[in-house]
Amino acid sequence: MYVKIALIGNPNSGKSSLFNQLTGLNQKVANFAGVTVEKKMGFCILPNKEKAQIIDLPGTYSLYPKSLDEQVVLNFLLDSQNSEKPDLILVVTDASNLQRNLLLFEEIRDLGVPILLILNMIDLAKQSGWEIDIKKLENLLGVPVIATNARNGDGILELKTKVLEFSEHSYQPQLLECLSKQKQLIEEVQENFTLKNTYIANLYLHHYERLHFLSEEEKDYLQKQQIKYQFNSLSLQAQETLERFDKIGSVIAQTTQKYEKTNNPLRITQKIDTILLHPVWGYAIFLGVLLLMFNAIFKWAELPMTFIEDQTANLQEIIKNNLSDGWFTKLLADGIIAGIGSVVVFIPQIALLFAFIAILEESGYMVRAMIIMDKIMRKFGLNGKSVVPLISGVACAIPAIMATRNIDNRKERLITILITPLMSCSARLPIYTVMIALVVPAENAFGFISWQALALLTMYLLGIFMALLASIILSKLLKHQDNSYFVVEMPTYKVPRWKNIGLTILEKLKAFTLEAGKVIIVLSVVLWALASFGWGDSLEQAENKVRKENITFSEKELEPLINSAKLEASYAGVLGKALEPVIKPLGFDWRIGISLIASFAAREVFVSTMSVIYGLGTDDEQSVRERMSKQINPITQKPFYSVAVGFSLMVFYAFAMQCMSTVAIVYKETRSWKYPIGQIIVFNLLAYISSFFVYQLLK
């Protein structure tokens, strides 16, 4: 058995940094039961060598939830049958903004669970001129208080030591004065549900409709009690908040002092904001940041990608040279290794993408991007809070769609969910980079930025443009009339903590490679089998036909012709040929047709599929890009992958709804099949029509 500890705090209180300090690499990500809200869990070793389980709860401002994330926190804390119910709660606060952060602390303390108050970012509080009397604060609040700097680990050892004494940190809450008029009702509810204290009973009365662990009978009982005692939830919540802030104000006045500092981080932040939030320079800098990101993805990742390609080829050669020549060796080398290697090669580019996003979030710039984009987003039926899911969609649509829970307005949330798959996710990146490398010259434009980076930026901007256009249409079609507002906390600028960024990259890459890897291995085996076998003796007949038609050719000259003919006669070839009439107007051939079918499970599979198809039966260990570049169009006798075919294919992938995981998450978040089914029909139709026009215009 180990101690279960929950981390809870306001957004931007440094909670995730503290979680990383406590758990290091010993952490995993799952979902809370019954919902798709991400749950980060890990273990830390206490000074007595015992393990403690740490659960990082979503950021919340109070126990009166305004978003789905906050509802998850409420259910997690109030459900007495929760198997992960914490033995101890660490309330993490931003020490430089203590007054506002103490509201959540006060509410959590009244749950009666052992609790520690963490004054995190204590270094920034001191730099801002705050001086806090921690001993006095402990006496007034009645719980241990620990000052920490989660960025460099200061105070972590003291925190772990205090955790060992957690059973001594219980607090007996008193009924708030504003709730005394409802004392009889609250005590009846407490007795009926056998609750630990009156504040939990009060929360049952306020939130019974949102508590998933209550039965319908129990909810009916609470509703009847509300009516019987004229329980006015909104009025009582306002009174409770005012009463708590009165107490908090008194505590702050007795325990803190503010001094003027010349190097106050807040003042430095305000000076930087005059540039980054400027109505002209703000947008120019934001565009510059995006351009830098895409340029880096191409330039910086080139060396490690070449290394991975070489190692994949070496591994294939070792397998072929050391195993007996047979179907298993071919399956291993040309199917599994080729399929996995063709996706692993893009890890450097995906790591860079996640690194840039993590740096923008850690530094505090992402919030500024939300603010400057809010004005624009409103014209498209969204608000600034939609920026984070949409930018996250550049990495992966699944967490991005989950991030929409932070949007209070139902209509804006639904629109953001529906348009997020149009943002070019990291799974599209390998397709874009392969196609751009094939059809766009590796030369610099204007002397400092490559044409390939500009082409990649264009593809991402195309996704953004289509997402905003779809948003305008949806805002006209959807009938919800909820009022919309945009409130966001502006953190001070901070130097990114590289350990956090490293852990974020590791976590994202792990999820990408493991989740994609399972699909890729299965599909690589299936595709290899489909491409290696055919009806009856069709492959033998195809080989004999090539030999008969090219009787003067040497074996070396015959090899590519035979491989091509056998592939065309295989099950995969027959399947691709059946699809070819439908996709020919887009410039695609039957090989691409096979990859399109496979990609509907996951887009990542496209490159691995092409690698299996193009690598089948060849002994030269070239990369998939080299093999594709050598394919000749039999009609024009020019390279098959022309500018028209390359951009037609990229546009198809930019708009098509192909990822089954995204379909599932849209269903879970909307609780309706009509939205994901509508996305599949509309987006795939859009992809086909757009691809058709691009090919016809450029060919």
Side-chain angles (χ1 to χ4, degrees), residues 470-689:
S471 177
I472 293 175
I473 297 168
L474 287 168
S475 65
K476 306 284 183 195
L477 295 176
L478 297 174
K479 301 298 180 188
H480 298 288
Q481 295 296 327
D482 299 349
N483 291 326
S484 170
Y485 57 90
F486 176 55
V487 180
V488 67
E489 183 181 350
M490 295 259 287
T492 54
Y493 289 107
K494 301 178 187 73
V495 176
R497 191 164 179 274
W498 302 113
K499 182 180 176 183
N500 281 351
I501 292 169
L503 287 171
T504 301
I505 295 171
L506 202 62
E507 177 196 314
K508 301 293 184 189
L509 287 181
K510 193 174 162 187
F512 174 80
T513 50
L514 291 182
E515 288 175 17
K518 292 174 194 169
V519 179
I520 287 163
I521 287 177
V522 172
L523 286 181
S524 293
V525 172
V526 172
L527 282 166
W528 177 85
L530 288 173
S532 299
F533 301 101
W535 298 107
D537 61 349
S538 57
L539 300 190
E540 195 178 339
Q541 286 181 23
E543 181 177 346
N544 291 336
K545 188 180 176 187
V546 171
R547 289 185 181 281
K548 192 181 284 183
E549 290 174 352
N550 303 281
I551 200 160
T552 59
F553 282 28
S554 66
E555 280 300 315
K556 193 174 180 181
E557 290 171 318
L558 282 172
E559 186 185 346
L561 298 175
I562 291 172
N563 288 335
S564 178
K566 287 169 81 173
L567 182 60
E568 206 167 338
S570 68
Y571 293 122
V574 172
L575 194 64
K577 287 281 183 182
L579 186 66
E580 199 171 47
V582 180
I583 58 175
K584 199 170 182 179
L586 314 183
F588 304 162
D589 69 352
W590 57 273
R591 292 179 180 82
I592 296 177
I594 297 169
S595 299
L596 286 180
I597 294 170
S599 300
F600 276 89
R603 295 184 186 93
E604 298 91 324
V605 174
F606 173 83
V607 180
S608 63
T609 304
M610 297 300 270
S611 183
V612 171
I613 291 171
Y614 278 86
L616 209 70
T618 60
D619 289 331
D620 57 327
E621 307 305 343
Q622 295 174 322
S623 70
V624 62
R625 287 180 290 182
E626 289 172 308
R627 288 169 184 154
M628 291 169 73
S629 68
K630 290 179 180 173
Q631 186 184 341
I632 299 297
N633 186 321
I635 298 172
T636 64
Q637 291 302 310
K638 292 180 179 176
F640 176 80
Y641 288 95
S642 61
V643 172
V645 172
F647 277 93
S648 172
L649 189 61
M650 285 193 286
V651 167
F652 185 91
Y653 273 92
F655 299 150
M657 183 79 173
Q658 292 169 300
C659 175
M660 290 301 106
S661 300
T662 305
V663 172
I665 203 74
V666 171
Y667 165 71
K668 283 185 178 178
E669 290 293 321
T670 60
R671 302 288 179 192
S672 170
W673 275 112
K674 69 178 178 182
Y675 296 114
I677 290 173
Q679 283 177 309
I680 291 171
I681 295 170
V682 174
F683 289 174
N684 290 335
L685 201 57
L686 174 67
Y688 188 91
I689 295 170

Side-chain angles (χ1 to χ4, degrees), residues 77-146:
L77 294 174
L78 295 190
D79 185 0
S80 59
Q81 301 302 312
N82 177 11
S83 60
E84 293 170 342
K85 195 171 179 63
D87 303 305
L88 171 68
I89 295 177
L90 306 184
V91 180
V92 186
T93 60
D94 174 359
S96 64
N97 199 353
L98 195 54
Q99 187 158 8
R100 196 204 60 212
N101 280 239
L102 282 181
L103 175 65
L104 177 64
F105 163 79
E106 286 269 338
E107 293 172 348
I108 298 288
R109 185 182 59 171
D110 282 357
L111 297 177
V113 181
I115 184 173
L116 295 181
L117 176 62
I118 314 296
L119 303 183
N120 196 28
M121 298 193 274
I122 193 69
D123 55 324
L124 291 179
K126 288 177 180 173
Q127 288 171 27
S128 300
W130 285 104
E131 198 167 275
I132 304 171
D133 186 337
I134 292 178
K135 277 291 171 196
K136 199 167 185 178
L137 192 61
E138 280 186 338
N139 292 334
L140 289 173
L141 297 178
V143 302
V145 179
I146 297 112

Side-chain angles (χ1 to χ4, degrees), residues 349-546:
Q349 289 182 323
I350 293 169
L352 278 169
L353 182 67
F354 285 124
F356 269 95
I357 291 175
I359 289 170
L360 295 181
E361 288 177 343
E362 278 263 325
S363 64
Y365 181 74
M366 189 68 92
V367 174
R368 273 73 185 180
M370 289 165 59
I371 291 168
I372 62 171
M373 291 301 292
D374 180 61
K375 196 174 177 181
I376 294 176
M377 300 300 271
R378 285 189 179 281
K379 294 177 180 173
F380 298 96
L382 303 168
N383 77 28
K385 285 187 178 177
S386 302
V387 171
V388 169
L390 292 179
I391 291 181
S392 301
V394 171
C396 179
I398 296 165
I401 289 170
M402 289 159 65
T404 60
R405 291 183 301 259
N406 195 36
I407 301 172
D408 308 306
N409 185 285
R410 282 183 301 164
K411 179 179 174 180
E412 290 169 351
R413 178 169 182 263
L414 182 57
I415 292 174
T416 309
I417 288 174
L418 295 179
I419 66 171
T420 294
L422 287 170
M423 301 298 289
S424 290
C425 65
S426 56
R428 290 172 170 117
L429 186 60
I431 303 160
Y432 290 166
T433 51
V434 164
M435 285 299 127
I436 289 172
L438 283 174
V439 303
V440 179
E443 297 169 1
N444 279 349
F446 315 113
F448 67 95
I449 188 161
S450 74
W451 283 111
Q452 292 182 336
L454 284 174
L456 184 61
L457 178 62
T458 302
M459 291 311 303
Y460 277 79
L461 291 178
L462 184 64
I464 294 170
F465 170 77
M466 192 53 72
L468 295 178
L469 187 62
S471 177
I472 293 175
I473 297 168
L474 287 168
S475 65
K476 306 284 183 195
L477 295 176
L478 297 174
K479 301 298 180 188
H480 298 288
Q481 295 296 327
D482 299 349
N483 291 326
S484 170
Y485 57 90
F486 176 55
V487 180
V488 67
E489 183 181 350
M490 295 259 287
T492 54
Y493 289 107
K494 301 178 187 73
V495 176
R497 191 164 179 274
W498 302 113
K499 182 180 176 183
N500 281 351
I501 292 169
L503 287 171
T504 301
I505 295 171
L506 202 62
E507 177 196 314
K508 301 293 184 189
L509 287 181
K510 193 174 162 187
F512 174 80
T513 50
L514 291 182
E515 288 175 17
K518 292 174 194 169
V519 179
I520 287 163
I521 287 177
V522 172
L523 286 181
S524 293
V525 172
V526 172
L527 282 166
W528 177 85
L530 288 173
S532 299
F533 301 101
W535 298 107
D537 61 349
S538 57
L539 300 190
E540 195 178 339
Q541 286 181 23
E543 181 177 346
N544 291 336
K545 188 180 176 187
V546 171

